[in-house]
Amino acid sequence: MKKLFMTVLLCLPFAFSALAENLVTNGTFDVPDADFGSESTETQWMGTGWTQWGGVFRQRWAARTAHAGGYFRGWSSGPDGGIYQNISNTGGQHTLAVWVRREPAFASLNSLEIKIEWMNASTNWVDATTVVYYNSLPADGLWHHIHVTATGTDASIAFIRPVLYCNWAAVGGSLAFDDMELYHGPYTGAPPRLVNRSVEFYPPNGLRG
């Protein structure tokens, strides 16, 4: 009975994470769906709910789950890029988390930043930006869960802005990201899961990583 109780306690953070409301729009980067057959399609972020700049793209092989994911292109683009969206919000404690995967060939990572910004109704910055640097992310081709937690206190807060930013040298490989979430409260962890457990989904461009 004691072992069962301890198991339930250990699983509670994962359960709360799964039940937390995700405040971002299109955190899976799947919408709109496309064939991604050309670079012009990859650079098309219109309709995704995200604003992007620099060398950041979408592709099927960059997905951790479902049909598409985002990635920073290390072989031809740079030296930086990022994504963000403005979400109506009045402050308080929030956590931003995302899965990232750095290929071994993505050898020159200068900076990987996940951050939360606070804006007023005129989209001017208020409160301090909270940023966590993951510059030592392993280049092992595996998915890692990264996060940042911040608290907005300014009375004029009207928007919260989740941001993912990367700076690199064009050497090779990619740094992919997928399944981003923003929720109220502290970091609750990420439940372990086997992706594509049936081995049925095979992207048209082949497997990568």
Side-chain angles (χ1 to χ4, degrees):
M1 187 68 180
K2 184 177 180 181
K3 289 183 178 179
L4 177 61
F5 179 71
M6 290 300 295
T7 302
V8 171
L9 286 179
L10 289 172
C11 290
L12 278 176
F14 299 140
F16 289 139
S17 177
L19 293 174
E21 178 188 5
N22 190 0
L23 302 178
V24 301
T25 298
N26 192 23
T28 61
F29 309 103
D30 293 326
V31 179
D33 196 12
D35 60 9
F36 299 106
S38 65
E39 182 175 314
S40 62
T41 308
E42 294 181 82
T43 58
Q44 181 57 269
W45 285 80
M46 185 178 297
T48 63
W50 294 92
T51 298
Q52 61 84 219
W53 77 96
V56 58
F57 306 88
R58 291 195 308 144
Q59 253 294 357
R60 292 193 183 280
W61 55 255
R64 173 180 173 266
T65 60
H67 304 301
Y71 74 99
F72 300 103
R73 179 183 290 173
W75 62 87
S76 63
S77 299
D80 68 348
I83 60 168
Y84 71 87
Q85 65 178 243
N86 294 334
I87 303 165
S88 295
N89 195 276
T90 55
Q93 188 182 58
H94 290 72
T95 295
L96 174 65
V98 65
W99 289 90
V100 292
R101 183 190 68 195
R102 179 184 176 189
E103 293 181 333
F106 197 89
S108 182
L109 174 59
N110 298 326
S111 184
L112 176 62
E113 305 172 19
I114 182 171
K115 51 189 173 181
I116 292 176
E117 300 174 343
W118 307 96
M119 328 290 289
N120 62 19
S122 300
T123 61
N124 295 318
W125 283 275
V126 295
D127 273 349
T129 295
T130 302
V131 55
V132 177
Y133 298 88
Y134 289 89
N135 303 347
S136 299
L137 182 74
D140 55 10
L142 301 177
W143 288 102
H144 300 270
H145 203 233
I146 65 174
H147 74 281
V148 59
T149 298
T151 301
T153 59
D154 194 286
S156 67
I157 290 174
F159 299 99
I160 184 173
R161 175 180 286 183
V163 182
L164 183 66
Y165 170 80
C166 188
N167 180 286
W168 68 94
V171 177
S174 70
L175 197 158
F177 56 89
D178 200 6
D179 299 324
M180 181 178 286
E181 56 181 344
L182 174 70
Y183 53 85
H184 296 282
Y187 179 62
T188 55
R193 60 175 298 178
L194 180 63
V195 178
N196 192 22
R197 68 190 68 185
S198 63
V199 202
E200 292 175 351
F201 179 68
Y202 189 88
N205 290 7
L207 298 176
R208 193 178 184 92

